[in-house]
Amino acid sequence: LCDGWAVPDYYKEVLAGWARRRETERQLVFHSMAEHAHDANPYARRLTIVAWLDLIRYGLATPQAALDHVAPLQHDEAYYVQMAIAWLLAEITLTGEASLVKAIRTEITDDTVLRMYEQKLRDSRRKKR
């Protein structure tokens, strides 16, 4: 059902809602995200990334777990997958945890993703002023 770039952004809320129910559902969400991280559909891959935003927001997952998920995906050539990674990394950075910022700088090496991340971070900081 992921047939456009904005669809995963809607479903991230649905997945977080399921994960909030019980531990069993949370584990199913994590399993599904791991399973579809390398799906042929780039929008399914995007969903496995943007879902972390709400999972972290609701305290259902850690930023480090999200970083561990996206690090292997950083060389994906799909623009909307790259942008999802940049968005997630910017949000993780905005938590202010120095160890996470250092981990991002160490684990993320793809030049395109890093450029997108820096732009997303600048945009996010501008909005918060």
Side-chain angles (χ1 to χ4, degrees), residues 41-69:
N41 181 342
Y43 304 116
R45 295 193 307 272
R46 179 180 169 87
L47 176 56
T48 73
I49 298 162
V50 298
W52 289 100
L53 293 162
D54 284 354
L55 293 170
I56 293 167
R57 183 176 300 121
Y58 294 123
L60 302 169
T62 65
Q64 184 61 55
L67 181 57
D68 292 345
H69 178 85

Side-chain angles (χ1 to χ4, degrees), residues 34 48 53 60-61 70 94 97-98 106 108 127:
T48 73
L53 293 162
L60 302 169
V70 299
L94 293 173
E97 293 182 42
T106 303
I108 304 300
K127 288 178 187 176

Side-chain angles (χ1 to χ4, degrees), residues 22-82:
R22 291 191 312 258
E23 181 64 26
T24 306
E25 280 84 355
R26 185 174 313 145
Q27 292 309 313
L28 286 172
V29 167
F30 289 136
H31 175 76
S32 179
M33 289 166 51
E35 180 181 338
H36 293 285
H38 301 284
D39 196 284
N41 181 342
Y43 304 116
R45 295 193 307 272
R46 179 180 169 87
L47 176 56
T48 73
I49 298 162
V50 298
W52 289 100
L53 293 162
D54 284 354
L55 293 170
I56 293 167
R57 183 176 300 121
Y58 294 123
L60 302 169
T62 65
Q64 184 61 55
L67 181 57
D68 292 345
H69 178 85
V70 299
L73 301 175
Q74 67 182 299
H75 302 294
D76 195 301
E77 294 185 9
Y79 171 82
Y80 289 111
V81 172
Q82 295 169 335

